[in-house]
Amino acid sequence: MTKRMEDKVVIVTGGAKGIGRGISNVFAKEGGKVLVVVRSEDTAKKVVEEIESKGGEASYFIGDVSNEEDMNKMAQTCIDRYGKIDVLCHNAGIFPEKRLEDMTVEDWDLVNNINLKGTFLTVKACLPYMKEENYGKMVITSSITGNKVGNPGLTHYAASKGGVNGFIKSAAIELAKYNITVNGVEPGNIMTEGMEAQLGAEYIKAQEASIPMGKLGEPEDIAYAALFLASDEAKYITGQTITVDGGQILPESKFDIN
Ligand code: NAP
């Protein structure tokens, strides 16, 4: 059977840990040449080694998605190394918890610069090359938070991910004429390094109790939804998001679970 990313060049931002690591591995397993984009070289090296050890092809670029120069260099590096950009999985994001009363403008800007401005900068950097090829699939990791539900301590994050969904819809219209689709995946609660470090054990326990499937998701659960949206099977889908959350947004109350 043909691999679904055979001959495809794929950029994965935030591709070395958590959900992004899952995306990098799944897309490489499906035959994609993966450019992993993160800020820390040690994790980037590890994921590239992991992919290569399984017979896949990957390399890394060190850059910050909230920095315009870095994102332009990232796209140029991908062209220099692989000759094109077929797929952008823009997944890098942060979710530090802070209540509104304690939130500073710096807290707000940090989250929105990485999550929302980063989406704009990453998409904009890849756009000219996809336009030239008259082909492109952009898949953005959004969130249920800010789109389907709210979450105390994450107002800045919710605003950024709500913004991401608005961006997806409008970009999809603008880019349709270039045969570029723009879609998103909205994860529920997925067990990742970032989840453990930024939200902690108590939060994870509380989330588990509110998920009909009774457990957090795995990075691969998001990666396979992204793979579908990036594949030619989804060639007529644009401006959409798929929620992958174990049913978390469904119950009207916690008494509906069990
Ligand atoms: P994670 O485990 O913390 O991994 C995040 C990755 O993004 C890391 O590789 C990190 O590497 C990279 N990154 C962070 N800031 C970056 C920046 N400014 N520039 C480049 N790379 C950056 O996070 P995760 O839980 O997998 O989350 C990934 C995405 O899913 C995020 O967009 C998040 O909002 C979304 N999401 C996650 C969940 C969940 O339950 N985990 C739920 C909904 C949505 P460096 O630090 O080396 O840069």
Side-chain angles (χ1 to χ4, degrees):
M1 200 175 125
T2 319
K3 291 180 172 176
R4 289 154 92 192
M5 287 293 127
E6 199 76 60
D7 300 324
K8 300 283 190 247
V9 175
V10 184
I11 293 179
V12 185
T13 69
K17 281 200 291 191
I19 292 172
R21 179 175 156 220
I23 295 174
S24 297
N25 272 285
V26 164
F27 277 64
K29 193 172 93 183
E30 286 293 324
K33 298 180 177 80
V34 176
L35 182 67
V36 174
V37 180
V38 287
R39 295 168 300 183
S40 48
E41 194 158 18
D42 54 335
T43 58
K45 271 187 181 154
K46 266 191 213 147
V47 78
V48 168
E49 280 166 17
E50 180 180 28
I51 288 169
E52 287 176 344
S53 73
K54 296 182 211 157
E57 189 171 344
S59 64
Y60 65 83
F61 173 84
I62 299 303
D64 183 334
V65 296
S66 64
N67 181 299
E68 185 176 16
E69 206 184 322
D70 283 3
M71 289 305 93
N72 290 340
K73 275 193 200 149
M74 166 197 79
Q76 187 59 57
T77 301
C78 190
I79 296 299
D80 294 346
R81 241 174 246 175
Y82 300 114
K84 58 177 184 167
I85 305 168
D86 295 301
V87 178
L88 166 66
C89 289
H90 174 53
N91 161 82
I94 58 168
F95 36 93
E97 209 175 4
K98 191 66 92 63
R99 293 284 166 146
L100 259 185
E101 284 170 297
D102 303 319
M103 193 179 288
T104 62
V105 170
E106 287 74 26
D107 294 326
W108 178 273
D109 284 347
L110 178 68
V111 168
N112 278 280
N113 280 341
I114 293 178
N115 295 2
L116 186 53
K117 189 170 92 177
T119 301
F120 158 61
L121 293 177
T122 313
V123 165
K124 191 163 188 324
C126 295
L127 172 56
Y129 305 105
M130 289 184 171
K131 185 180 164 187
E132 205 174 301
E133 293 286 322
N134 194 42
Y135 183 92
K137 308 265 187 234
M138 298 189 175
V139 184
I140 321 284
T141 308
S142 183
S143 179
I144 56 168
T145 306
N147 291 301
K148 301 293 193 310
V149 294
N151 199 328
L154 290 175
T155 52
H156 47 359
Y157 177 79
S160 74
K161 295 294 185 176
V164 162
N165 277 27
F167 177 92
I168 287 171
K169 291 189 188 83
S170 300
I173 302 170
E174 280 193 35
L175 306 188
K177 62 176 174 288
Y178 307 130
N179 194 30
I180 299 170
T181 61
V182 189
N183 292 294
V185 182
E186 290 170 4
N189 281 276
I190 309 300
M191 200 60 214
T192 66
E193 291 93 325
M195 165 73 72
E196 279 181 304
Q198 294 175 81
L199 300 174
E202 209 176 312
Y203 173 93
I204 291 169
K205 217 169 140 206
Q207 295 301 323
E208 271 169 359
S210 67
I211 300 171
M213 286 191 172
K215 58 179 182 190
L216 269 66
E218 295 167 6
E220 290 70 23
D221 295 323
I222 305 306
Y224 279 106
L227 178 69
F228 167 63
L229 291 171
S231 74
D232 287 331
E233 290 153 15
K235 67 181 175 4
Y236 201 54
I237 299 175
T238 197
Q240 303 303 310
T241 51
I242 299 178
T243 300
V244 182
D245 71 341
Q248 184 164 12
I249 61 168
L250 300 174
E252 275 193 36
S253 84
K254 64 180 178 179
F255 300 109
D256 294 335
I257 298 170
N258 294 323

